[in-house]
Amino acid sequence: MNLKTFKRKSITVSSENLVTTNFLQHTQPLPLVIQPAVDGVNLVNWASSNRDWIEKQLIQYGGLLFRNFPINSYNEFANFMQSVAGELIEYSYRSTPRSQVDGKIYTSTEYPPDQSIPLHNEMAYSLNWPMKIAFFCVKAAEQGGETPIADSRKVFQRINPEIKEKFIQKKIMYVRNYGQGIDLPWETVFQTDDKAKVKAYCQSSGIEFAWLGGNELRTRQVCQAVATHPQTGDLVWFNQAHLFHISSLKSEVRQSLLTVLNAEELPRNSYYGDGSEIETSVLEEINQIYEQETITFSWQEGDILLLDNMLVAHGRKPFTGARKVLVGMAQPYTV
């Protein structure tokens, strides 16, 4: 669903008369758009004074788009995140390449601009994740580069009950191989070059690991396919099986890898929790549901998109021209 062409429709004004709330499309309540009703509203100060109200809206809608506020730096973005969500957290046990901008503010995933990033919930491939994630558009791409979103509750509801039940019962196993020079090195993923610290992290996080000689490492971890939101009690589709599975790769890349590696040696792959193969047709069906639930809007510079990471998934569209979107995460949650 593309919302670029729809006019906003105002639905309410805050009690302080300093902001207005509206939707990008009156039939689609995600995201809720929050804008200043008067000039000169300081978003950080306003957010600090209205944290409970913001939390209530985030729980109801899943995603909030703050637009047309004078936010001009990553420091202001970081201060905003702290005002609504508390201390920021580090991007640990990494899955994608990012650069640290300052403190705990990062670039969004640094995949080539011609590639799309499928919808997913941040760190849903682990047993620990941030409850809140926010994106700050410093520079919008000349074309494309949107951050599509989808309601994880609706995704869960639409998946075939038999498929859901199988995933709920078996869960998902993520297998990763490091040190082959193909994917992220383990030093980047674990943010250390000390093998003893990697061992300690894996043991504390329920991750099986094995050093295969030299600098190569293999990890296995069984995680949830479905999760229950701790505040709302909603069941959400919450995993990255479709991203880790070999079927997510372009066919030529997949074939190239399998000519030099066995299936168990692939940089990353996903299985049912008992180690059995996930049917490609099942993942195709799940990807189609994500596509059907996708909501897309164009970035405007200065936009901040705040998501409840369990209620709403996010991705990235391909783009041309320079694009700079920063990310902050907060409120760590452990199963």
Side-chain angles (χ1 to χ4, degrees):
M1 181 182 298
N2 194 307
L3 307 183
K4 296 179 183 178
T5 60
F6 290 94
K7 295 181 179 180
R8 301 186 191 120
K9 179 182 179 181
S10 181
I11 59 170
T12 190
V13 179
S14 75
S15 58
E16 295 81 4
N17 294 324
L18 291 179
V19 303
T20 60
T21 60
N22 51 74
F23 299 135
L24 293 172
Q25 182 187 6
H26 71 278
T27 59
Q28 176 52 258
L30 177 66
L32 178 71
V33 184
I34 302 173
Q35 301 183 86
V38 295
D39 292 337
V41 178
N42 183 296
L43 179 59
V44 175
N45 292 342
W46 178 84
S48 297
S49 300
N50 293 273
R51 182 169 176 171
D52 290 344
W53 181 85
I54 291 171
E55 181 71 18
K56 182 179 178 182
Q57 308 312 309
L58 190 62
I59 287 296
Q60 180 176 352
Y61 296 102
L64 309 178
L65 178 62
F66 296 87
R67 175 163 282 180
N68 294 326
F69 290 93
I71 297 290
N72 300 307
S73 70
Y74 62 79
N75 283 326
E76 290 178 291
F77 171 54
N79 290 337
F80 165 77
M81 276 294 289
Q82 290 171 350
S83 71
V84 299
E87 289 300 310
L88 300 178
I89 61 177
E90 294 182 4
Y91 180 42
S92 58
Y93 191 41
R94 301 185 177 192
S95 175
T96 60
R98 301 179 190 264
S99 297
Q100 193 167 1
V101 177
D102 187 70
K104 295 171 184 175
I105 298 297
Y106 301 87
T107 59
S108 55
T109 297
E110 296 172 347
Y111 280 164
D114 63 333
Q115 294 183 12
S116 62
I117 299 174
L119 286 158
H120 63 283
N121 303 85
E122 194 68 29
M123 295 188 69
Y125 54 83
S126 73
L127 299 175
N128 311 275
W129 56 80
M131 287 298 297
K132 289 184 173 63
I133 184 169
F135 302 87
F136 172 42
C137 179
V138 178
K139 183 174 181 57
E142 292 177 12
Q143 186 174 357
E146 301 92 345
T147 297
I149 54 179
D151 189 322
S152 300
R153 292 169 286 197
K154 291 183 178 180
V155 172
F156 172 79
Q157 291 163 4
R158 292 185 63 163
I159 294 173
N160 183 305
E162 292 183 2
I163 292 175
K164 283 191 288 193
E165 186 59 30
K166 188 172 183 179
F167 273 107
I168 289 171
Q169 293 299 322
K170 292 194 171 189
K171 301 186 177 181
I172 296 167
M173 177 188 290
Y174 299 95
V175 179
R176 301 177 70 173
N177 286 282
Y178 312 91
Q180 305 160 319
I182 300 173
D183 206 337
L184 295 178
W186 61 263
E187 294 91 341
T188 298
V189 171
F190 294 95
Q191 289 292 285
T192 181
D193 58 5
D194 186 338
K195 291 184 178 181
K197 290 183 178 179
V198 173
K199 176 181 178 180
Y201 182 91
C202 290
Q203 289 178 334
S204 67
S205 302
I207 301 172
E208 296 181 21
F209 69 98
W211 296 100
L212 305 178
N215 206 38
E216 294 190 6
L217 169 68
R218 178 176 298 160
T219 62
R220 291 188 181 90
Q221 187 179 30
V222 177
C223 299
Q224 70 292 318
V226 172
T228 302
H229 194 282
Q231 291 170 276
T232 69
D234 288 317
L235 290 173
V236 295
W237 191 249
F238 197 78
N239 63 76
Q240 291 192 16
H242 61 302
L243 268 74
F244 275 70
H245 195 265
I246 187 174
S247 64
S248 68
L249 298 174
K250 292 182 179 179
S251 59
E252 60 270 22
V253 176
R254 183 167 65 247
Q255 292 168 5
S256 177
L257 282 175
L258 289 174
T259 60
V260 296
L261 299 172
N262 296 322
E264 64 272 15
E265 297 172 329
L266 292 168
R268 61 178 75 189
N269 206 350
S270 61
Y271 303 85
Y272 288 113
D274 60 5
S276 58
E277 296 282 343
I278 299 175
E279 303 87 346
T280 300
S281 60
V282 166
L283 295 173
E284 289 173 347
E285 183 172 334
I286 292 168
N287 281 323
Q288 288 174 1
I289 292 170
Y290 270 118
E291 184 65 30
Q292 291 162 0
E293 289 296 330
T294 295
I295 299 164
T296 306
F297 63 92
S298 296
W299 279 118
Q300 293 182 16
E301 290 175 9
D303 280 353
I304 293 177
L305 178 65
L306 175 64
L307 301 178
D308 182 302
N309 183 44
M310 290 188 72
L311 297 181
V312 175
H314 64 275
R316 192 202 71 185
K317 296 288 189 181
F319 64 93
T320 57
R323 176 188 188 269
K324 187 173 185 181
V325 175
L326 303 182
V327 177
M329 295 169 273
Q331 295 183 357
Y333 179 80
T334 302
V335 176

